[in-house]
């Protein structure tokens, strides 16, 4: 009997994931980003309905929930409702993608107005810390939350639009996975959606080989087709007043099955 010519490493963390939910996909990317800050040799890969990560990352979630996260104040005289933020030790990384001109031009930012990034992060971390801190249901288990309001990365929320329901959903409790919302915010710093049609349709590509974060980001953005496993396209759904958006469920468009 022949052995597997390229056996995968034993995963340190296993996370249930629906890769057709773009929020869950980018949340996995965010977790891989954080894992790479704990172990520069950390690897991640998708297989069926799981996302696996390998490395010295057993306490990843606990470290993140207890890390100092603070706004980065820029002394240019301009008031920002959502300035960049700094995630402290042991991650030591900044999040500022929503101020990036390329991201703004592509139009995949989903929030505006009264929502602030720090309020969102603080609230979502509390919601995540209140659930079982095992990672398996971190992205798949939806819970009812009234505050803070989500950024609508979890595509299950895209059904809650004013058009579909006949009234604004902003004052009502919604069921979603706070882990999806929180870690997608992290993932989008490096892992950007492929722009299919600005402000309307976006894409991403999954991978099934264990990859480090830099290589995984290139594959996700469609830059290394030979390592891509499956390609997805998702819509940006208008939910209230034309200015608030949501990630919609994605559709597979191509598959590179071995």
């Amino acid at each position: 009997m022949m052995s597997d010519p390229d056996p995968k490493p034993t995963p340190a963390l296993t996370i249930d994931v629906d890769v057709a939910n773009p929020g869950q996909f980018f949340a996995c990317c965010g977790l891989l980003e954080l894992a790479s800050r704990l172990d520069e040799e950390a690897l991640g890969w998708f297989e069926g309905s799981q996302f696996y990560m390998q490395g010295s990352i057993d306490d990843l979630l606990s470290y993140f929930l207890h890390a100092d996260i603070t706004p980065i104040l820029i002394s240019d005289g301009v008031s920002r409702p959502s300035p960049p933020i700094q995630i402290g030790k042991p991650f030591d990384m900044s999040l500022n993608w929503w101020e990036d001109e390329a991201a703004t031009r592509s139009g995949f930012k989903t929030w505006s107005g009264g929502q602030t990034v720090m309020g969102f992060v603080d609230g979502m971390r509390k919601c995540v810390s209140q659930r079982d801190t095992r990672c398996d249901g971190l992205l798949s288990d939806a819970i009812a939350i009234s505050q803070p309001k989500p950024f609508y990365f979890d595509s299950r929320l895209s059904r809650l639009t004013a058009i579909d329901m006949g009234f604004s959903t902003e004052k009502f409790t919604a069921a979603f996975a706070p882990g999806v919302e929180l870690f997608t915010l992290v993932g989008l710093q490096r892992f950007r959606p492929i722009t299919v049609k600005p402000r309307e349709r976006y894409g991403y590509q999954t991978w099934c080989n264990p990859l480090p974060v830099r290589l995984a980001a290139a594959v996700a953005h469609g830059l290394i087709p030979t390592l891509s496993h499956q390609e997805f396209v998702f819509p940006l759904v208008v939910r209230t007043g034309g200015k608030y958006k949501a990630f919609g469920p994605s559709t597979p468009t191509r598959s590179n099955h071995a």
Side-chain angles (χ1 to χ4, degrees):
M1 181 176 178
M2 295 182 64
S3 60
D4 186 343
D6 187 23
K8 291 182 172 65
T10 301
L13 292 176
T14 300
I15 301 164
D16 294 333
V17 60
D18 175 7
V19 292
N21 181 330
Q24 290 191 29
F25 170 79
F26 285 108
C28 288
C29 297
L31 289 165
L32 180 57
E33 178 69 57
L34 294 170
S36 73
R37 305 289 174 140
L38 295 181
D39 181 352
E40 63 182 14
E41 297 183 356
L43 303 171
W45 68 98
F46 295 91
E47 189 172 312
S49 59
Q50 271 82 43
F51 179 65
Y52 297 108
M53 289 193 294
Q54 190 273 336
S56 301
I57 56 174
D58 291 349
D59 296 321
L60 170 65
L61 188 56
S62 178
Y63 279 136
F64 182 77
L65 293 177
H66 293 93
D68 289 331
I69 300 182
T70 56
I72 300 173
L73 302 179
I74 303 174
S75 57
D76 59 0
V78 178
S79 176
R80 290 175 170 81
S82 290
I85 62 174
Q86 179 70 26
I87 304 174
K89 295 183 181 301
F91 303 104
D92 291 323
M93 68 174 295
S94 300
L95 296 182
N96 62 358
W97 63 263
W98 53 91
E99 290 196 333
D100 187 297
E101 183 179 348
T104 303
R105 186 170 57 250
S106 296
F108 61 83
K109 176 172 172 282
T110 58
W111 75 95
S112 62
Q115 285 182 284
T116 66
V117 169
M118 274 305 304
F120 169 86
V121 170
D122 287 343
M124 291 300 164
R125 283 211 298 177
K126 289 179 182 177
C127 291
V128 170
S129 66
Q130 289 168 359
R131 69 176 297 281
D132 189 333
T133 54
R134 293 177 304 167
C135 282
D136 51 359
L138 178 66
L139 307 182
S140 57
D141 295 348
I143 59 176
I145 299 173
S146 57
Q147 291 292 338
K149 294 302 177 185
F151 279 173
Y152 286 76
F153 296 136
D154 189 333
S155 67
R156 291 172 290 190
L157 286 165
S158 64
R159 296 168 294 187
L160 302 179
T161 67
I163 294 175
D164 290 340
M165 301 186 69
F167 52 81
S168 174
T169 61
E170 296 305 308
K171 296 181 180 179
F172 293 85
T173 298
F176 60 92
V180 171
E181 297 289 302
L182 184 58
F183 295 111
T184 293
L185 187 76
V186 177
L188 290 173
Q189 182 67 26
R190 187 194 299 265
F191 292 78
R192 303 294 175 84
I194 303 165
T195 301
V196 177
K197 186 175 182 180
R199 304 182 185 278
E200 292 188 24
R201 295 176 66 79
Y202 302 87
Y204 56 90
Q205 297 185 16
T206 64
W207 63 94
C208 59
N209 296 314
L211 298 178
V213 67
R214 290 183 177 85
L215 197 55
V219 174
H221 198 69
L223 299 178
I224 312 179
T226 55
L227 293 179
S228 168
H229 178 64
Q230 197 165 21
E231 181 181 63
F232 291 86
V233 172
F234 67 96
L236 200 63
V237 178
V238 176
R239 54 186 178 86
T240 305
K243 62 180 179 179
Y244 300 108
K245 310 293 196 312
F247 284 5
S250 63
T251 303
T253 60
R254 181 179 55 79
S255 179
N256 292 334
H257 293 294

